[in-house]
């Protein structure tokens, strides 16, 4: 029994945990300070209509969440809260399923280069678009950000 427990412990600690498709609390961008850094000139942006992604490298990120993300839909374009909530839910789901693209790039980057990434996804369209289109465009933004992180690494 002891040998089996020891083997299990060695296996568990030597094999990396697979990325789970969850959007946990530490992964959510909530810090007012980080959000101000994003929109205060430090952030870079990538657009794939109807999604705009504003991102910036941050000095420190918790190990559980190398990427912190937030989602926004402007009230100016969608007066009703139900429409805004629907689009935010679609964007969160699209990010949640494709965040591995960004996580891999951040983890491959050297640690002195970046502690993590702060990311804000903004819906810039004027009309509600289907989930499939939002999913594709969110993926395009994440791939471009990952490419930019990899380019900085070289």
């Amino acid at each position: 029994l002891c040998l089996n427990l020891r083997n299990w412990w060695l296996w568990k600690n030597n094999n990396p945990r697979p990325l789970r498709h969850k959007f946990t609390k530490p992964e959510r961008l909530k810090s007012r300070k980080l959000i101000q850094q994003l929109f205060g000139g430090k952030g870079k942006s990538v657009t794939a209509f109807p999604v705009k992604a504003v991102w910036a490298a941050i000095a420190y990120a918790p190990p559980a969440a190398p990427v912190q993300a937030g989602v926004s839909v402007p009230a100016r374009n969608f007066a009703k809260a139900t429409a805004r909530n629907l689009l935010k839910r679609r964007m969160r789901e699209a990010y949640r399923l494709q965040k591995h693209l960004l996580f891999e790039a951040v983890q491959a980057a050297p640690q002195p280069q970046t502690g993590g990434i702060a990311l804000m996804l903004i819906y810039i369209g004027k009309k509600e678009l289907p989930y499939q289109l939002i999913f594709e465009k969110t993926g395009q933004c994440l791939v471009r950000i990952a490419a930019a992180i990899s380019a900085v690494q070289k």
Side-chain angles (χ1 to χ4, degrees):
L1 183 66
C2 289
L3 186 60
N4 287 339
L5 286 175
R6 185 171 185 273
N7 288 342
W8 174 81
W9 186 85
L10 288 172
W11 176 84
K12 181 179 179 252
N13 290 325
N14 290 329
N15 291 326
R17 286 179 34 203
L19 179 69
R20 295 185 181 151
H21 291 292
K22 291 186 175 186
F23 191 40
T24 60
K25 195 164 188 170
E27 293 175 1
R28 296 178 191 264
L29 181 61
K30 295 289 187 182
S31 169
R32 179 170 286 177
K33 195 176 191 180
L34 286 178
I35 294 171
Q36 286 175 348
Q37 284 179 3
L38 275 178
F39 295 104
K42 187 180 177 189
K44 301 171 188 112
S45 69
V46 173
T47 304
F49 188 82
V51 177
K52 178 179 180 180
V54 180
W55 65 279
I58 54 177
Y60 172 75
V67 179
Q68 293 183 337
V71 175
S72 176
V73 178
R76 173 177 57 188
N77 296 343
F78 296 95
K80 296 197 182 271
T82 54
R84 289 194 303 273
N85 290 339
L86 173 72
L87 290 169
K88 285 192 281 188
R89 202 166 39 247
R90 288 178 180 173
M91 289 174 59
R92 269 195 308 267
E93 181 71 3
Y95 169 75
R96 182 183 73 82
L97 293 174
Q98 300 179 80
K99 67 181 179 179
H100 61 88
L101 302 169
L102 205 51
F103 274 60
E104 292 166 359
V106 170
Q107 290 172 348
Q111 287 306 324
Q113 186 72 29
T114 177
I117 298 291
L119 169 71
M120 179 68 80
L121 296 171
I122 305 166
Y123 189 87
I124 57 174
K126 304 278 186 206
K127 296 181 181 177
E128 281 183 30
L129 294 175
Y131 169 73
Q132 190 60 37
L133 182 66
I134 293 172
F135 182 85
E136 291 171 13
K137 299 303 181 169
T138 302
Q140 288 178 10
C141 286
L142 295 179
V143 166
R144 289 183 194 164
I145 294 170
I149 292 169
S150 299
V152 169
Q153 171 184 334
K154 293 177 182 175

